[in-house]
Amino acid sequence: MNEPLLTIAVPSPLHRSFDYLPPSATDAAALLPGVRVRVPFGARTTIGILLEVKAHSSIDPKRLKRALRILDPSPVLSADIIAMGCWASAYYQYPIGETLSAALPTLLRRGESAAEIDDSGWRLTTEGAHTDPDTLRRAPRQALVLRQLHLRPEGLRRAEIEATPEVLRTLREKGWIESCTLTSSDARVPAEREVGHVLNADQQAAVDAVRESLGEYAAFLLEGVTGSGKTEVYLHIIDTVIAQRRQALILVPEIGLTPQLVDRFRRRFGVPLALLHSGLNDRERLTAWRRAGSGEALIVIGTRSAIFTPLARPGVLVVDEEHDASLKQQDGLRYSARDLAVWRARQLAVPVVLGSATPSLESLYNVARTRYRLLLLPERTGSAGLPSYEILDLRRQPLEHGLSRGMLARIHSHLADGGQVLLFLNRRGYAPTLICHDCGWIAGCARCDARMTVHQAESQLRCHHCGSQRPIDACCPACGGADLRPLGQGTERVEQALAEHFPEVERLRIDRDTTRRKGQLASLLQQARAGHGRILLGTQMLAKGHHFPDVTLVGIINVDQGLFGIDFRASERMAQLIIQVAGRAGRRDRAGHVVIQTHHPDHPLLQTLVRQGYPAFARAALAEREAARLPPASHIALVRAEAMEATLPADFLEGVRQQIQELGAADVEVWGPVPAGMERRAGRWRAQLLLQSTQRGSLQRVLRGLVRQLEQDKAARKVRWSVDVDPADMF
Ligand code: ADP
Ligand code: ZN
Ligand code: ZN
């Protein structure tokens, strides 16, 4: 009689699963899909995930290898995660073994026991309990931890605390906190539980619509202007969900997972949370993952990859800032966490809520096609109205490090009135270019088709694409001249201009350079909110999700880059950014004012956006996309290739184009190959091929056939190639 066989997803570049004989002395029939199995693979052993136990294989059993060991008594990946993994693997053209492996926390991928979880936590000592966090103004990160622990006298698990290990160590050394063991999985009631706001009519209608759908699949787009109370809507929905002892999974953009948001959840709900944030080590991450999977944590909050978190009793999925590009993974399994959330919700038969003040055109298109239901919050809560806009024409104006007189005057007057000012510039460093005034030479990166950015404080030139750096040249390598000048503005330069103009005013600069160390961003944001820093200056880190209640003036220093981008999404991104930055202003009771500097004051996009708002802009942009048959009115995929040798990528892609033609799909158009937007990056030459179709199914069929062929193809081994389905980024 034949032995049963195990079909296993083994991490490898091959787009298939593998059959094995069960380990000796194993009752294979009793095995459940989702357990980890150690298997021999080539010359090594590795860990795969059991997909299926089969009675027969088409392969002669004598040719099959025997699996070595079953690692888990029960599945580590639930059936729904495996199903989603299989779907994602097929849809994004990524090998199933790698896909499921990516869904596992690192420790499980390495073969550690899934049963061990970390019950350690922290609680206040008596001395800590008597320390008022407000007295720690100079140590905002420590104050934050104390505040979190004040809400939970019995202690919090490590994974529930937003803090770096250093901050915890300092607090322990001060004798304010001590470690403890937390075993109870019962709901814990915070010392002072906050009650929610009474909802306004629009919020109530949104909450009711989702509540009525609990227990079944429904997709909602919650479109609410900034400050309209979207988070409050989530909180009310989640309240109902946890009252049914079901779980809520909330996905947030990369830098949206702020202590502020987490605090709000914690103050509101007396239930265990699991946070999947970047400050966790592997053990803590596994613990959070397990607590979600066991059902102990009723609220799970995380960034993109949290979509793969197992849930014992799912009740609702929420994707906050659904337009945000960080929800799309840019390498490996190039998935959209938003799209997977919708897929998973359907499969779990729960509602999914996508929220944004500036919804993606994809989601608006899905609303128009009645796939998603639209929930609108057109007004801000409280007394503050929406911000007013003003466009400052830069043409022929004198500029001081990028600031016009008009901008400087407005900053002056808002500061004089006691307001806080937020300036936005999506460029860090001192200047994006170093140019020789004698001959026009420009400092370029040796490894990329890109200019080096001047970082004055460190006297360095840095490439923001590959990370190369070198000292600023003393004289021009082309003509020997000594007159090298920084051209254009980055945040560092604008900060200098502000220091000259407003020497007595406290400033905070928030960009990647000032927030390199862990915890620095949280600390700066905390100071900004507390009103330190009358002028806030920063990149898009400042634009997302944060509330600065005292900001009355928002200045957008340069909007022009976004108006003329080559990516067809450039204008959508720019519009979203403008509205998001603008939304930081005027949240308490003062309406905010937004000033936009541009050399193109009559640009139709700007005009529509500023006069009629985002919905009008989005309608116009969507009509343009439909006319041009660009996504979301069609579906696209990019095949990218890169190599050290200049001609290889294009040659390889030319072959790919022919293969696609032989696969013969009349309704899939192929464009290219063309050099990538930045043809050389980090020393590699890059090219790409665009596939486009109005029929998703046809595109999928062609891609599947292509990937199968490339797997066997020798030429494909000379280049690095990848497939990006629904690319967020066209380069
Ligand atoms: P969004 O997520 O849309 O930016 P929030 O939910 O954070 O909006 O709400 C913005 C502010 O308004 C918050 O300070 C919140 O506490 C408050 N708020 C929300 N809903 C209400 C309401 N119904 N009544 C009064 N204040 C509210
Ligand atoms: Zn020169
Ligand atoms: Zn470079």
Side-chain angles (χ1 to χ4, degrees), residues 445-450 452 463-468 678 680-683:
C445 175
R447 308 174 68 214
C448 307
D449 290 332
M452 298 293 273
C463 173
H464 288 182
H465 304 283
C466 72
S468 315
M678 184 181 299
R680 209 163 59 96
R681 182 166 175 162

Short mmCIF file of all heavy atoms in Angstrom, two decimals, residues 445-450 452 463-468 678 680-683, ligand 3:
data_model
loop_
_atom_site.label_atom_id
_atom_site.label_comp_id
_atom_site.label_asym_id
_atom_site.label_seq_id
_atom_site.Cartn_x
_atom_site.Cartn_y
_atom_site.Cartn_z
N CYS A 445 26.63 60.90 -8.57
CA CYS A 445 26.99 59.67 -7.88
C CYS A 445 27.72 58.75 -8.86
O CYS A 445 27.30 58.61 -10.00
CB CYS A 445 25.75 58.98 -7.34
SG CYS A 445 26.11 57.38 -6.61
N ALA A 446 28.80 58.15 -8.38
CA ALA A 446 29.57 57.27 -9.25
C ALA A 446 28.82 55.99 -9.57
O ALA A 446 29.10 55.31 -10.54
CB ALA A 446 30.91 56.95 -8.58
N ARG A 447 27.83 55.64 -8.74
CA ARG A 447 27.15 54.35 -8.91
C ARG A 447 25.74 54.49 -9.47
O ARG A 447 25.10 53.50 -9.79
CB ARG A 447 27.09 53.63 -7.57
CG ARG A 447 28.47 53.53 -6.88
CD ARG A 447 28.34 52.94 -5.50
NE ARG A 447 27.95 51.54 -5.57
CZ ARG A 447 27.17 50.93 -4.69
NH1 ARG A 447 26.67 51.61 -3.68
NH2 ARG A 447 26.89 49.66 -4.80
N CYS A 448 25.21 55.73 -9.49
CA CYS A 448 23.83 55.92 -9.94
C CYS A 448 23.77 57.05 -10.96
O CYS A 448 24.65 57.89 -11.01
CB CYS A 448 22.92 56.33 -8.78
SG CYS A 448 22.96 55.27 -7.36
N ASP A 449 22.69 57.09 -11.74
CA ASP A 449 22.41 58.25 -12.57
C ASP A 449 21.70 59.26 -11.68
O ASP A 449 20.50 59.50 -11.83
CB ASP A 449 21.48 57.88 -13.73
CG ASP A 449 22.20 57.02 -14.74
OD1 ASP A 449 23.43 57.15 -14.85
OD2 ASP A 449 21.54 56.21 -15.40
N ALA A 450 22.40 59.83 -10.74
CA ALA A 450 21.75 60.73 -9.80
C ALA A 450 22.75 61.74 -9.29
O ALA A 450 23.96 61.51 -9.32
CB ALA A 450 21.18 59.93 -8.63
N MET A 452 24.43 64.06 -6.31
CA MET A 452 24.72 63.92 -4.89
C MET A 452 24.04 65.06 -4.14
O MET A 452 24.03 66.20 -4.62
CB MET A 452 26.23 63.97 -4.65
CG MET A 452 27.02 62.86 -5.32
SD MET A 452 26.69 61.22 -4.65
CE MET A 452 27.86 61.13 -3.29
N CYS A 463 24.49 60.24 -1.74
CA CYS A 463 23.52 59.82 -2.74
C CYS A 463 22.34 59.23 -2.00
O CYS A 463 22.49 58.29 -1.22
CB CYS A 463 24.13 58.79 -3.67
SG CYS A 463 22.88 58.10 -4.79
N HIS A 464 21.15 59.78 -2.21
CA HIS A 464 19.96 59.29 -1.50
C HIS A 464 19.41 58.02 -2.13
O HIS A 464 18.41 57.49 -1.67
CB HIS A 464 18.90 60.38 -1.45
CG HIS A 464 19.26 61.50 -0.51
ND1 HIS A 464 18.45 62.57 -0.26
CD2 HIS A 464 20.36 61.69 0.26
CE1 HIS A 464 19.03 63.39 0.62
NE2 HIS A 464 20.20 62.88 0.94
N HIS A 465 20.04 57.54 -3.19
CA HIS A 465 19.54 56.33 -3.85
C HIS A 465 20.33 55.09 -3.51
O HIS A 465 19.80 54.00 -3.47
CB HIS A 465 19.49 56.55 -5.37
CG HIS A 465 18.68 57.75 -5.72
ND1 HIS A 465 17.31 57.72 -5.72
CD2 HIS A 465 19.04 59.01 -6.02
CE1 HIS A 465 16.86 58.94 -6.02
NE2 HIS A 465 17.88 59.73 -6.21
N CYS A 466 21.65 55.25 -3.29
CA CYS A 466 22.45 54.06 -2.98
C CYS A 466 23.21 54.21 -1.68
O CYS A 466 23.86 53.28 -1.23
CB CYS A 466 23.41 53.77 -4.12
SG CYS A 466 24.77 54.94 -4.21
N GLY A 467 23.15 55.40 -1.08
CA GLY A 467 23.83 55.58 0.20
C GLY A 467 25.31 55.93 0.10
O GLY A 467 25.96 56.11 1.13
N SER A 468 25.87 56.03 -1.11
CA SER A 468 27.29 56.42 -1.21
C SER A 468 27.49 57.80 -0.59
O SER A 468 26.61 58.65 -0.68
CB SER A 468 27.76 56.55 -2.66
OG SER A 468 27.35 55.50 -3.42
N MET A 678 15.66 55.77 -13.48
CA MET A 678 17.06 55.98 -13.15
C MET A 678 17.79 54.76 -13.70
O MET A 678 17.69 53.67 -13.15
CB MET A 678 17.23 56.08 -11.65
CG MET A 678 18.65 56.41 -11.24
SD MET A 678 18.83 56.48 -9.45
CE MET A 678 17.69 57.82 -9.08
N ARG A 680 20.87 53.75 -14.05
CA ARG A 680 21.87 53.04 -13.28
C ARG A 680 21.68 53.38 -11.81
O ARG A 680 21.51 54.55 -11.44
CB ARG A 680 23.27 53.43 -13.72
CG ARG A 680 24.28 52.29 -13.50
CD ARG A 680 25.52 52.52 -14.31
NE ARG A 680 26.13 53.78 -13.92
CZ ARG A 680 27.12 53.89 -13.03
NH1 ARG A 680 27.61 52.81 -12.47
NH2 ARG A 680 27.61 55.06 -12.72
N ARG A 681 21.65 52.38 -10.99
CA ARG A 681 21.45 52.60 -9.57
C ARG A 681 22.31 51.61 -8.80
O ARG A 681 22.29 50.42 -9.09
CB ARG A 681 19.98 52.36 -9.24
CG ARG A 681 19.64 52.62 -7.81
CD ARG A 681 18.13 52.70 -7.71
NE ARG A 681 17.76 52.83 -6.32
CZ ARG A 681 16.59 53.27 -5.91
NH1 ARG A 681 15.68 53.60 -6.78
NH2 ARG A 681 16.32 53.35 -4.65
N ALA A 682 23.09 52.12 -7.84
CA ALA A 682 23.99 51.30 -7.04
C ALA A 682 24.84 50.39 -7.93
O ALA A 682 25.07 49.23 -7.64
CB ALA A 682 23.20 50.48 -6.02
N GLY A 683 25.27 50.96 -9.05
CA GLY A 683 26.19 50.22 -9.92
C GLY A 683 25.52 49.28 -10.91
O GLY A 683 26.17 48.71 -11.76
ZN ZN B 3 24.12 56.45 -5.78
#
